[in-house]
């Protein structure tokens, strides 16, 4: 008997421009969902349909480039944090078989902090597709802004100052990942345990996913069954990452999710998706908030900074040696 899965569809405009009652309702709703399932879908998030369509056109164009061109943007010492990562490079934590995907990552552009600017590698510019670069940077800044508003609602739910996260995510180590789950021409040649994205939790504070060109995203419910996440058209799917789970001593859930392979007859089709992994600055303290630790909820995690934790996780998934 499966329990009802609480993945509400919430209107961000009710928080950013709403009455006091609407803002509180939004904060309560997102907090409750993040406490129960770790997932919500968001409408009125600031990205127009036209911009999303343009993004997907550019992402398709990028992955249609010849492998020789794409691989020229794969820089080993960047550990996949900027530019291209080829097929078979990333493996979900605890899995042996790499995921069936290739991706491109865009990171933070720092304009107001010379020291931090040195900490982040520069983004790679795709010479062959000028519009890819401008479109993805536009998407990056808009999702960063949306994420900031969502974290304000979460801060209120946690009883913190509304702006608790603002200075921690300003110039944060966030990543926009454009993903291509490539066609599987010969399903019989693929290892039995190979999937598009193995069951995993995200590393960051929250993830904002811009739709996807096909179904496949599933979340693991509390009763151990898999539940398909369906988003309306241009809605964002937003989920809790492990950093926020650590910070809240498991009050907010970083829920296991995966991208399953399509039915055999659809395996020859590509699937594209664009998640934005919202990270704080590396020196953010992830020590569990005192308000989330008590006799019923003993402290579960050792104290660690966001940078140390990210480093540990990148090694576990094979992107860092």
């Amino acid at each position: 008997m499966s329990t009802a899965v609480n993945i509400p569809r919430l209107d961000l405009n009710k928080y950013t421009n709403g009455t006091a009652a609407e803002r509180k309702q939004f904060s309560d709703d997102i907090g409750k969902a993040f406490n129960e399932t770790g997932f919500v879908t968001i409408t009125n998030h600031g990205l127009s349909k036209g911009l999303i369509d343009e993004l997907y056109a550019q992402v398709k164009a990028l992955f249609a480039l010849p492998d020789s061109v794409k691989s020229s943007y794969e820089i080993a010492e960047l550990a996949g944090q900027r530019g291209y990562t080829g097929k078979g490079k990333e493996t979900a934590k605890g899995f042996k078989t790499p995921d069936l995907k290739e991706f491109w990552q865009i990171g933070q552009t720092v304009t107001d902090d010379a020291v931090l600017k040195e900490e982040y590698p520069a983004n790679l510019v795709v010479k062959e597709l000028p519009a890819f670069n401008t479109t993805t940077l536009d998407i990056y800044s808009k999702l960063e802004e949306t994420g900031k508003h969502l974290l304000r609602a979460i801060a209120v739910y946690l009883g913190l100052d509304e702006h608790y996260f603002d200075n921690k995510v300003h110039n944060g180590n966030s990543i926009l990942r454009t993903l291509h789950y490539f066609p599987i021409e010969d399903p019989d040649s693929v290892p039995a345990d190979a999937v598009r994205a193995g069951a995993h939790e995200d590393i960051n504070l929250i993830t904002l996913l811009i739709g996807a060109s096909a179904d496949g995203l599933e979340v693991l419910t509390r009763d151990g069954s898999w539940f398909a996440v369906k988003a309306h058209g241009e809605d964002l799917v937003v989920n809790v990452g492990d950093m926020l789970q650590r910070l809240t001593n498991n009050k907010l859930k970083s829920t296991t999710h995966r991208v399953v392979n399509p039915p055999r007859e659809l395996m020859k089709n590509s699937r594209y998706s664009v998640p934005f992994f919202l990270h704080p600055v590396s020196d953010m303290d992830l020590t569990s908030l005192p308000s989330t630790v008590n006799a019923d909820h003993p402290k579960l995690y050792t104290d660690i900074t966001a940078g140390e934790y990210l480093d540990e996780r990148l090694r576990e998934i094979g992107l860092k040696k």
Side-chain angles (χ1 to χ4, degrees):
M1 149 97 187
S2 183
T3 48
V5 175
N6 179 24
I7 302 179
R9 185 177 191 225
L10 303 177
D11 179 351
L12 183 57
N13 194 47
K14 294 267 176 69
Y15 189 77
T16 52
N17 296 305
T19 63
E22 286 173 330
R23 287 166 59 80
K24 182 178 189 313
Q25 189 65 55
F26 183 96
S27 182
D28 289 348
D29 288 346
I30 194 172
K32 183 173 190 288
F34 279 178
N35 178 258
E36 291 176 9
T37 56
F39 274 78
V40 296
T41 65
I42 298 288
T43 182
N44 281 328
H45 44 65
L47 274 64
S48 67
K49 182 179 187 321
L51 181 59
I52 293 173
D53 289 346
E54 174 62 14
L55 171 69
Y56 273 99
Q58 293 302 327
V59 169
K60 287 173 183 173
L62 174 82
F63 290 113
L65 291 171
D67 284 346
S68 57
V69 173
K70 288 184 289 193
S71 60
S72 72
Y73 292 105
E74 187 161 19
I75 318 288
E77 57 269 27
L78 292 179
Q81 295 306 289
R82 301 289 184 276
Y84 180 68
T85 297
K87 299 166 184 173
K89 296 284 171 67
E90 185 176 79
T91 305
K93 180 179 173 180
F95 285 72
K96 297 279 187 287
T97 307
D99 290 342
L100 302 172
K101 68 188 183 196
E102 57 181 338
F103 56 90
W104 180 285
Q105 298 208 147
I106 295 121
Q108 185 64 262
T109 307
V110 178
T111 57
D112 58 0
D113 184 331
V115 177
L116 200 54
K117 192 178 174 71
E118 291 302 307
E119 189 181 312
Y120 297 141
N123 282 310
L124 302 189
V125 174
V126 186
K127 295 188 289 288
E128 296 78 5
L129 294 170
F132 175 85
N133 308 301
T134 51
T135 303
T136 50
L137 288 177
D138 189 15
I139 291 278
Y140 187 108
S141 65
K142 283 185 164 66
L143 287 178
E144 193 171 38
E145 187 63 18
T146 301
K148 204 178 289 180
H149 288 299
L150 294 170
L151 285 173
R152 285 175 185 167
I154 284 298
V156 171
Y157 173 76
L158 293 170
L160 302 167
D161 178 88
E162 185 187 17
H163 298 282
Y164 176 85
F165 290 101
D166 285 14
N167 66 346
K168 297 170 178 62
V169 296
H170 176 66
N171 286 334
N173 194 14
S174 297
I175 293 287
L176 183 71
R177 173 183 278 196
T178 69
L179 269 163
H180 178 216
Y181 299 101
F182 46 81
I184 300 162
E185 300 295 348
D186 175 14
D188 294 329
S189 69
V190 174
D193 60 348
V195 292
R196 286 185 153 175
H200 66 284
E201 300 78 46
D202 293 343
I203 301 169
N204 40 292
L205 288 170
I206 55 174
T207 300
L208 294 77
L209 174 72
I210 306 174
S213 64
D215 291 339
L217 177 64
E218 297 184 345
V219 304
L220 188 62
T221 64
R222 285 184 173 180
D223 63 6
S225 57
W226 289 99
F227 180 84
V229 179
K230 303 281 188 198
H232 298 251
E234 281 72 51
D235 287 4
L236 295 180
V237 177
V238 182
N239 64 278
V240 175
D242 285 352
M243 288 184 183
L244 189 55
Q245 177 171 265
R246 281 184 89 102
L247 184 72
T248 63
N249 198 39
N250 281 15
K251 181 181 175 71
L252 303 184
K253 299 277 182 292
S254 176
T255 302
T256 303
H257 54 285
R258 66 184 182 182
V259 178
V260 295
N261 294 340
R264 196 178 173 91
E265 66 275 10
L266 296 178
M267 282 192 174
K268 289 185 171 60
N269 299 345
S270 282
R271 180 184 190 270
Y272 302 91
S273 80
V274 183
F276 179 73
F277 301 114
L278 194 140
H279 282 264
V281 288
S282 60
D283 63 1
M284 179 184 177
D285 184 1
L286 295 180
T287 299
S288 294
L289 296 163
S291 62
T292 64
V293 179
N294 56 38
D296 293 333
H297 304 95
K299 189 173 165 193
L300 298 167
Y301 299 104
T302 53
D303 300 347
I304 197 169
T305 66
E308 291 164 344
Y309 185 60
L310 176 62
D311 202 55
E312 181 184 296
R313 289 290 297 275
L314 290 176
R315 292 176 201 283
E316 287 174 348
I317 61 176
L319 287 181
K320 231 177 177 182
K321 296 291 182 277

